[in-house]
Amino acid sequence: MSELTDLTLAEARDAVRAKKVSSVELTRAFTGAVEAARPLNAFVTETPERALEMAKASDARIAKGEGGLLEGLPLAIKDLFCTKGVRTTAGSNILSNFVPPYESTVSQNLWDAGAVMLGKTNMDEFAMGSSNETSHFGPVFNPWRSRSSNAKLVPGGSSGGSAAAVSGSLCLAATGTDTGGSIRQPAALSGIVGLKPTYGRCSRYGIVAFASSLDQAGPMTRTVRDAAILMRAMASVDPRDSTSVDVPVPDYEAGLDAGVKGLRVGIPKEYRIDGAPPEIDALWAEGVAWLKAQGAEIVDVSLPHTKYALPTYYIVAPAEASSNLARYDGVRFGRRAQGVRDIVDLYEKSRAEGFGREVQRRIMIGTYVLSSGYYDAYYIRAQKLRSLIARDFDEAYKKCDVLLAPATPCPAFAVGEKTADPVSMYLNDVFTVPVNLAGLPAIAVPAGLTKDGLPLGLQIIGKAFDEATVLRAGRAIEVAADFNAKPERWWRAA
Ligand code: GLN
């Protein structure tokens, strides 16, 4: 545990502030770790020179007694956030040569706070996936392996590169985005913390759009405290995103250890699903016992429309995606097909070559549910269901302050295991999508290991803009679970 890369974000921050370690030293340790971890394929683009420059500038600020909340701390950025002058691919061939002329608001907030960029992390193409196998740049491998086999496992998706980078100690923390679970699900499968904030908490400006009414950026970290620190720096109201909301951003870290005494924790009965491995339910029951032992009041609640959440999501998200992805036409952005006959041929070939199979599937589903004749039957009904799902949460919150649920229906699975069957892949999102449809905040916290030694996560869901309570309850889970297992660094020998 003496390696610099094993520090948490909070520990590194304190060490840098106390001048026990310089940002350059810290950054060198991480650029080395990133390089040594290439077998994980967690990064699409490494930016070690830029990192070193940023670290030197940080050290200069620290020497002058200046410095922001994240001064000198090396982070990884999901390759969905536009970074000025640094290639941003969204995991897609169609953007494989796209160098943005501007910076996303969230990443700009991080640089303004003094953070250092190590590079851009691999992800499912346009954030569509639950295993990081749809990336044009190849799959990401989970740092964790099962005790019973050396098979390569998926890290979850779509923020799989960020999850692997945090879990494998290749960065202090990373950004992710969550449209239907893409922060929480990979966090759970990779044994780290992932927080999806309330819709509107972070600006979406400069984040490549998937489904605009669902997309939210959030922190992926090794501890709940680190998530609290990063969340504060990422959040802001932004005139360039009209859906960002002007509510004060509290010092989440300050309230973290206040405990859960008297907190009403709802247990949604619909999250008990047939066919889930018994370990998932057992961990959930353990979570209930932990919170109860710390003084929380446990209440049974019902979210009756939960079973409609997945079908609703897989209409709404593709519909918005089909519209958002219409801008990639080979003319204004990214890759352009060669040797074309005319403009229609250019559009068709550029899109056929540029988009992978899953993205094409979503565009076709989305276009279909929005087409005249089917719009009322699918899209309008999905919108109505979305309201009912959101209302379920409103009703539940009359009886409780947060909800406790599993984060995923299964632990990390083998690469290739679910790629042939999209529906089995979509089922990974069963516990995460309702939260996005309702726009609520939720955190996944590592809480235990399967008998094969793979991490499992629990999820705390909160009221809109109450990330503070979500983090506090997440911290209570973290304390009780005392999860400190780490993956063996097999990739260093690979
Ligand atoms: N797995 C979900 C999907 O493929 C969620 C993805 C996400 O949150 N970006 O749509």
Side-chain angles (χ1 to χ4, degrees):
M1 282 292 134
S2 60
E3 289 186 48
L4 284 177
T5 52
D6 286 322
L7 295 174
T8 66
L9 184 74
E11 288 165 352
R13 174 197 60 186
D14 297 345
V16 168
R17 276 191 191 162
K19 299 193 181 147
K20 288 190 187 139
V21 60
S22 71
S23 176
V24 166
E25 282 173 275
L26 203 53
T27 300
R28 285 221 167 94
F30 280 107
T31 54
V34 168
E35 201 183 319
R38 289 201 183 131
L40 294 177
N41 201 23
F43 284 78
V44 173
T45 305
E46 298 172 12
T47 56
E49 294 88 14
R50 189 184 185 103
L52 210 56
E53 254 170 56
M54 292 174 94
K56 282 181 187 155
S58 254
D59 282 336
R61 283 192 293 272
I62 293 165
K64 280 195 274 176
E66 298 167 1
L69 279 178
L70 301 173
E71 197 60 59
L73 306 179
L75 306 179
I77 303 294
K78 185 179 184 179
D79 209 14
L80 200 62
F81 294 80
C82 285
T83 41
K84 189 174 174 178
V86 175
R87 182 171 76 135
T88 298
T89 69
S92 182
N93 191 19
I94 210 156
L95 286 178
S96 52
N97 60 7
F98 175 56
V99 179
Y102 58 92
E103 189 77 28
S104 83
T105 297
V106 164
S107 51
Q108 187 62 52
N109 288 347
L110 299 176
W111 316 141
D112 289 347
V116 167
M117 177 164 86
L118 290 166
K120 307 292 296 287
T121 56
N122 202 345
M123 54 177 284
D124 278 304
E125 185 177 4
F126 284 103
M128 297 172 189
S130 305
S131 64
N132 218 123
E133 291 169 289
T134 72
S135 169
H136 172 66
F137 302 93
V140 175
F141 302 115
N142 197 321
W144 291 84
R145 291 197 297 196
S146 156
R147 277 184 200 130
S148 56
S149 135
N150 278 347
K152 287 194 171 142
L153 304 179
V154 303
S158 64
S159 313
S162 288
V166 174
S167 162
S169 299
L170 316 183
C171 57
L172 287 169
T175 62
T177 61
D178 193 313
T179 302
S182 279
I183 288 176
R184 292 160 287 156
Q185 188 260 7
L189 267 50
S190 306
I192 64 162
V193 174
L195 172 62
K196 180 241 172 248
T198 312
Y199 184 78
R201 182 54 102 178
C202 289
S203 169
R204 288 182 297 108
Y205 176 78
I207 300 175
V208 176
F210 165 9
S212 308
S213 77
L214 300 161
D215 300 344
Q216 257 301 292
M220 302 179 76
T221 57
R222 287 196 282 277
T223 68
V224 175
R225 178 170 307 279
D226 291 357
I229 295 168
L230 200 57
M231 184 69 249
R232 184 173 173 203
M234 290 172 76
S236 67
V237 63
D238 181 2
R240 287 177 296 195
D241 172 8
S242 60
T243 62
S244 71
V245 180
D246 190 7
V247 284
V249 182
D251 178 353
Y252 298 111
E253 196 185 358
L256 208 55
D257 287 309
V260 291
K261 200 167 180 350
L263 193 74
R264 295 171 308 162
V265 178
I267 309 302
K269 67 167 188 258
E270 290 79 7
Y271 281 49
R272 212 168 295 287
I273 54 166
D274 291 340
E279 286 175 313
I280 299 283
D281 273 347
L283 184 73
W284 192 14
E286 224 177 337
V288 172
W290 289 334
L291 294 179
K292 204 170 171 178
Q294 294 180 56
E297 187 191 324
I298 306 297
V299 285
D300 288 323
V301 298
S302 171
L303 302 169
H305 297 91
T306 300
K307 64 173 178 290
Y308 301 113
L310 265 183
T312 300
Y313 173 84
Y314 277 99
I315 290 171
V316 173
E320 294 185 22
S322 73
S323 153
N324 273 325
L325 271 56
R327 74 189 67 168
Y328 304 105
D329 53 10
V331 177
R332 287 164 299 177
F333 286 94
R335 214 171 172 283
R336 175 178 300 183
Q338 301 301 311
V340 297
R341 283 192 313 274
D342 52 29
I343 185 77
V344 173
D345 201 32
L346 170 71
Y347 291 158
E348 288 179 357
K349 287 215 173 95
S350 298
R351 287 170 69 81
E353 289 170 9
F355 292 137
R357 284 180 65 83
E358 184 59 27
V359 172
Q360 292 185 5
R361 180 174 10 252
R362 305 272 181 122
I363 291 174
M364 285 194 280
I365 294 171
T367 309
Y368 180 81
V369 299
L370 289 175
S371 59
S372 71
Y374 295 102
Y375 185 83
D376 291 344
Y378 291 104
Y379 188 68
I380 294 289
R381 289 181 85 188
Q383 294 292 27
K384 288 181 179 165
L385 275 166
R386 184 173 182 177
S387 302
L388 292 173
I389 290 161
R391 199 180 300 161
D392 282 354
F393 283 101
D394 291 342
E395 286 302 312
Y397 287 138
K398 289 180 182 162
K399 297 208 285 181
C400 63
D401 306 303
V402 294
L403 300 162
L404 173 70
T408 60
C410 61
F413 44 93
V415 172
E417 193 178 319
K418 298 191 182 185
T419 38
D421 178 4
V423 174
S424 85
M425 193 67 88
Y426 297 172
L427 285 173
N428 276 291
D429 305 329
V430 61
F431 298 136
T432 48
V433 289
V435 168
N436 300 75
L437 290 167
L440 300 173
I443 195 168
V445 179
L449 294 175
T450 66
K451 62 179 183 323
D452 269 340
L454 293 177
L456 291 174
L458 284 172
Q459 182 179 206
I460 299 279
I461 306 169
K463 297 178 186 167
F465 295 101
D466 194 12
E467 285 83 5
T469 307
V470 169
L471 285 157
R472 175 156 63 88
R475 172 76 186 135
I477 295 279
E478 181 179 54
V479 168
D482 192 23
F483 182 95
N484 44 34
K486 292 227 173 198
E488 276 173 43
R489 295 181 183 170
W490 54 268
W491 57 91
R492 290 201 175 169

